[in-house]
């Protein structure tokens, strides 16, 4: 899978309350959630993010609550993938489960800047800055997670397991 | 092969002899939990998978505790959606209205979670049940929807960080202070993906309600689960609240730990987390002059009967400072009732407290105590992120219930000793 987009640069410990504040959780439609994505941190995000854009963040991205509304809001806003130094555990699961890919790369997290444009090959885990063709390595996505992404998320993956009789 | 308590529980539920950190395993779930915010998405996932019934109607708990009593039309719609699903599938453990309390308070109280179980909840503080010696962790709604359909979840076996707490702390220092101190030490990423296993002589003497507080906040250090090896206190709790079914595991003496942390609790002061991170911790005596607009005592961290007792013993015969809003929310209807019977409710009302119905309330900025721009609150909750309790320019400080109660009287952050 290849992605290309402009970067939104965020810092360390971006928590789920910053990604989608609890006051907007009385609905669960992804498109509604996207309208308030990053509302308190980057109020201009929801209106100016474009399809394919990439979020690049520091460490522990997505820490805090288990709300799947956080990756859902980001995905529905059009963001194609998130690159960070590291991700909080529940956010990591949730993103893959709904088919939003993540890459861990310390280098890219440190070097890439707001508005840079990147091209990403998910399978190879390679991140390339368009302006100077500089490449950044990332930790490979574990096989099992890649399988879930390939299936289109945990739901189609599970339906397949049930069909094959692997799940009771 | 020697194993930790977490590894033993996971191996048993994966039908394997042994597991090691890093193994990806498929695990059977004993109890699956969701609330009014996370259940709606989980239900949509369940419906999409297309199974006719949930894997076990006795092993799914749906608790409408966050935005209830319904705070607006949208929340009412969400709860209605969950209620209809619960009826359709005859879910045994569906709670709302007068039956509802905070999910992590009522599940142990009703004996629905037991030592040795795997409990998975679509709520990050599901790690609370580690206090009982269960493996419990939070996931998102898609995972939960899949569990409702299959009774299983994939998990990566976490490495374990052992935390030994030794020494006799001052009576003002409890589980909340110890866990805040630990998070301050290791940071919000300090236990990312890992298990926090608590032990040592201080823990052995620690009452159950304080163990729940500590396990509850494992996630604030990024932990997958927090766990205590069951002992006599655990057995007494289980005997009081549940029927049979508990399995009591202990870590082997030569189990492998990624890291061992030792904390001497002897001279520890009460701890306060400053905005906007639970790791931004200071000693109470070093807090300076922090005036407050609101004090909130409650939540799944500190909403137990013993927490209310601690607060009431400080507030007895005193009144909240003029202009300060003191809000107290018992964690469950049973706790509320007992607080009335014991006279705690009266002490609180005499102190000018507002007592709310059992629910999450202002903990996540839902309702019943939202902060305006520039306002400051001290709360016994677990998170003080930007905007957690209201306006993005408000501030939340975290402490134990005794400090919160004393601070309500003082009008600024301080301890019972200053009253
Ligand atoms: S009391 Fe607060 S932390 Fe606990 S479940 Fe409710 S919102 Fe979450």
């Amino acid at each position: 899978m290849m992605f290309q987009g402009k970067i939104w640069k965020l810092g360390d410990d971006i928590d789920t309350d910053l990604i989608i504040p609890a006051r907007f959780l009385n609905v669960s439609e992804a498109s509604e959630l996207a309208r308030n994505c990053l509302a308190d941190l980057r109020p201009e995000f929801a209106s100016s993010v474009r399809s394919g854009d990439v979020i690049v963040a520091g460490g522990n991205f997505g820490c805090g609550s288990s709300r799947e509304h956080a990756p859902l809001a980001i995905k529905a806003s059009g963001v194609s993938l998130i690159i960070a130094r590291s991700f909080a555990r529940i956010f990591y699961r949730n993103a893959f489960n709904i088919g939003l890919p993540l890459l861990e790369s310390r280098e890219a997290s440190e070097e890439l800047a707001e508005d840079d444009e990147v091209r990403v090959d998910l399978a190879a885990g390679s991140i390339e800055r368009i302006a100077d063709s500089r490449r950044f390595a990332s930790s490979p996505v574990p096989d099992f997670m890649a399988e879930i992404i390939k299936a289109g998320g945990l739901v189609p993956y599970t339906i397949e397991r049930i069909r094959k009789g692997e799940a009771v | 092969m020697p194993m930790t308590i977490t590894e033993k529980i996971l191996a048993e539920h994966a039908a394997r002899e042994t597991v090691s950190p890093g193994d990806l395993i498929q695990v059977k779930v004993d109890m699956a939990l969701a609330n009014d915010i996370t259940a709606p998405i989980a239900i949509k996932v369940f419906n999409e998978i297309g199974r006719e019934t949930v894997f076990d109607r006795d092993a799914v708990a749906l608790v409408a505790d966050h935005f209830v009593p319904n705070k607006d039309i949208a929340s009412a719609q969400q709860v209605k959606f969950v209620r209809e699903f619960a009826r359709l599938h005859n879910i045994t453990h569906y709670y709302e209205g007068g039956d509802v309390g905070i999910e992590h308070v009522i599940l142990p109280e009703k004996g629905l979670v037991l030592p040795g179980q795997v409990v998975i909840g679509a709520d990050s503080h599901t790690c609370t049940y580690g206090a009982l010696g269960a493996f419990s962790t939070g996931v998102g709604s898609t995972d939960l929807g899949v569990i409702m359909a299959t009774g299983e979840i994939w998990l990566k076996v976490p490495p374990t960080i052992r935390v030994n707490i030794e020494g006799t702390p001052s009576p003002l220092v409890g589980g909340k202070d110890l866990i805040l101190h630990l998070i301050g030490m290791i940071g919000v990423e300090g236990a990312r993906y890992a298990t926090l296993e608590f032990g040592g002589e201080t823990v052995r003497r620690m009452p159950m309600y304080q163990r729940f507080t500590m396990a509850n906040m494992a996630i604030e250090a990024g932990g997958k689960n927090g766990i205590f090896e069951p002992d006599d206190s655990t057995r007494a709790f289980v005997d009081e609240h549940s029927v049979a079914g508990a399995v009591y595991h202990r870590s082997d003496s030569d189990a492998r730990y990624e890291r061992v942390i030792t904390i001497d609790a002897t001279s520890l002061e009460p701890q306060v987390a400053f905005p906007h991170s639970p790791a931004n911790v200071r000693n109470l005596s070093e807090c300076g002059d922090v005036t407050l607009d609101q004090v909130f005592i409650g939540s799944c961290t500190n909403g137990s009967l013993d927490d209310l007792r601690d607060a009431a013993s400080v507030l007895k015969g005193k009144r909240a400072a003029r202009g300060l809003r003191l809000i107290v929310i018992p964690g469950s209807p049973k706790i509320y009732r007992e607080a009335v019977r014991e006279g705690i409710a009266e002490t609180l009302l005499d102190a000018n407290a507002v007592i709310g119905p059992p629910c999450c309330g202002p903990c996540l900025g839902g309702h019943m105590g939202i902060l305006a721009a520039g306002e400051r609150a001290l709360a016994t909750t677990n998170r003080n992120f930007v905007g957690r309790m209201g306006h993005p320019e408000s501030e939340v400080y975290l402490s134990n219930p005794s400090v919160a109660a004393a601070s309500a009287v003082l009008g600024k952050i301080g301890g019972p000793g200053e009253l």
Side-chain angles (χ1 to χ4, degrees):
Chain A
M1 272 187 271
M2 301 286 292
F3 304 97
Q4 185 163 338
K6 183 189 84 73
I7 282 169
W8 292 81
K9 186 78 189 272
L10 308 176
D12 284 330
D13 301 322
I14 301 297
D15 61 69
T16 50
D17 280 88
L18 285 176
I19 297 170
I20 179 85
R23 60 184 184 275
F24 302 121
L25 297 183
N26 53 3
V27 297
S28 53
E29 286 74 30
S31 55
E32 278 287 313
L33 295 169
R35 293 224 309 252
N36 297 303
C37 189
L38 296 170
D40 294 341
L41 186 68
R42 300 287 296 269
E44 77 287 9
F45 177 84
S47 55
S48 41
V49 62
R50 268 180 302 181
S51 178
D53 281 2
V54 173
I55 288 178
V56 175
N60 207 23
F61 186 86
C63 62
S65 90
S66 67
R67 62 187 71 151
E68 203 158 300
H69 311 67
L72 278 174
I74 291 176
K75 191 178 179 210
S77 74
V79 165
S80 59
L81 97 159
I82 307 173
I83 301 168
R85 179 163 58 73
S86 64
F87 293 92
R89 186 190 70 82
I90 303 177
F91 186 90
Y92 189 84
R93 293 184 73 96
N94 288 348
F96 278 95
N97 283 347
I98 64 161
L100 171 66
L102 312 178
L103 280 178
E104 285 187 334
S105 169
R106 172 179 289 275
E107 252 195 311
S109 155
E110 280 165 9
E111 302 291 328
L112 289 170
E114 182 84 11
D115 291 332
D116 275 355
E117 193 148 344
V118 286
R119 191 180 298 129
V120 177
D121 180 342
L122 190 68
S126 85
I127 303 161
E128 182 190 347
R129 180 159 54 199
I130 308 267
D132 58 1
S133 297
R134 177 150 173 217
R135 283 170 185 275
F136 305 92
S138 71
S139 320
V141 172
D143 289 350
F144 178 71
M145 310 303 286
E147 235 179 274
I148 290 178
I149 287 281
K150 209 171 79 195
L154 187 66
V155 171
Y157 176 84
T158 302
I159 292 173
E160 185 58 18
R161 278 191 73 218
I162 292 175
R163 199 187 59 75
K164 288 198 268 177
E166 287 170 15
V168 272
Chain B
M1 199 177 77
M3 289 194 285
T4 64
I5 174 171
T6 295
E7 289 158 2
K8 286 181 184 179
I9 297 171
L10 290 178
E12 192 175 290
H13 284 75
R16 287 169 50 150
E17 283 289 307
T18 61
V19 295
S20 302
D23 289 355
L24 277 165
I25 51 174
Q26 198 72 25
V27 174
K28 291 232 177 299
V29 175
D30 296 304
M31 180 57 73
L33 161 74
N35 58 49
D36 49 326
I37 294 182
T38 57
I41 300 181
I43 290 168
K44 285 178 200 159
V45 166
F46 173 86
N47 290 339
E48 214 179 306
I49 292 171
R51 281 258 152 125
E52 262 164 37
T53 55
V54 298
F55 80 105
D56 179 352
R57 70 184 191 90
D58 295 327
V60 174
L62 299 174
V63 185
D65 60 353
H66 276 60
F67 292 158
V68 298
N70 299 330
K71 73 167 179 134
D72 54 20
I73 294 169
S75 347
Q77 294 291 129
Q78 294 211 117
V79 176
K80 182 169 179 237
F81 182 66
V82 180
R83 182 187 309 121
E84 284 169 355
F85 175 84
R87 282 206 188 126
L88 179 67
H89 292 277
N90 227 341
I91 302 291
T92 314
H93 305 296
Y94 170 70
Y95 301 107
E96 71 161 324
D99 290 329
V100 92
I102 303 166
E103 46 194 335
H104 309 307
V105 177
I106 64 172
L107 260 60
E109 184 183 280
K110 292 178 184 296
L112 300 180
V113 287
L114 292 169
Q117 286 187 331
V118 168
V119 182
I120 309 288
D123 188 276
S124 61
H125 293 101
T126 304
C127 52
T128 307
Y129 318 120
L132 290 166
F135 173 86
S136 60
T137 193
V139 295
S141 297
T142 297
D143 274 317
L144 213 272
V146 169
I147 296 171
M148 288 202 292
T150 65
E152 290 182 5
I153 185 172
W154 67 266
L155 290 173
K156 190 157 144 191
V157 178
T160 297
I161 300 172
R162 171 83 181 191
V163 182
N164 288 320
I165 306 173
E166 313 290 350
T168 307
S170 103
L172 284 179
V173 169
K176 183 62 166 284
D177 307 288
L178 289 164
I179 191 70
L180 283 175
H181 178 67
L182 175 69
I183 297 165
M185 264 172 81
I186 66 175
V188 291
E189 239 192 308
R192 207 168 53 88
Y193 291 102
T195 297
L196 283 173
E197 181 183 298
F198 301 102
E201 57 158 320
T202 314
V203 163
R204 276 194 297 280
R205 282 195 305 264
M206 186 181 279
M208 287 307 294
Y209 80 103
Q210 297 191 15
R211 298 185 195 184
F212 281 109
T213 301
M214 289 189 69
N216 174 272
M217 290 188 70
I219 178 72
E220 260 53 69
K224 183 167 196 150
N225 65 318
I227 199 160
F228 290 72
E229 295 165 287
D231 57 15
D232 290 345
S233 305
T234 324
R235 283 171 200 270
F237 185 94
V238 171
D239 290 345
E240 188 187 335
H241 294 91
S242 4
V243 284
V247 182
Y248 298 93
H249 291 289
R250 295 195 64 80
S251 293
D252 293 320
S253 55
D254 50 351
R256 286 156 310 159
Y257 294 109
E258 182 185 77
R259 187 179 168 194
V260 178
I261 296 171
T262 305
I263 293 176
D264 179 6
T266 316
S267 52
L268 194 70
E269 279 187 44
Q271 305 285 296
V272 176
F274 274 51
H276 292 282
S277 165
N280 190 11
V281 173
R282 294 191 201 171
N283 289 325
L284 179 62
S285 65
E286 290 157 10
C287 287
D289 236 8
V290 183
T291 53
L292 299 168
D293 302 287
Q294 180 169 307
V295 166
F296 169 48
I297 299 172
S299 87
C300 59
T301 316
N302 285 118
S304 73
L305 182 61
D306 288 296
D307 288 316
L308 300 193
R309 283 181 181 138
D310 289 351
S313 74
V314 173
L315 288 166
K316 186 102 195 151
K318 309 210 167 51
R319 243 178 114 78
R322 221 182 139 74
L324 180 140
R325 309 179 298 270
L326 171 59
I327 299 167
V328 182
I329 300 192
S332 76
K334 191 174 170 195
I335 293 168
Y336 198 155
R337 191 179 287 272
E338 191 57 29
V340 170
R341 210 186 55 80
E342 274 184 30
I344 293 172
E346 188 152 6
T347 301
L348 296 172
L349 291 172
D350 287 346
N352 215 21
V354 175
I355 305 178
C359 68
C360 297
C363 171
L364 80 162
H367 62 161
M368 286 194 270
I370 304 306
L371 301 174
E375 284 194 325
R376 249 187 238 133
L378 178 64
T380 64
T381 56
N382 44 43
R383 285 192 180 135
N384 55 350
F385 301 152
V386 172
R388 176 72 179 177
M389 282 179 68
H391 196 282
E393 282 156 33
S394 60
E395 291 183 350
V396 181
Y397 297 70
L398 308 175
S399 79
N400 74 32
S402 310
V403 170
S407 302
V409 177
L410 294 165
K412 64 184 183 70
I413 295 181
E418 294 167 54
L419 295 180

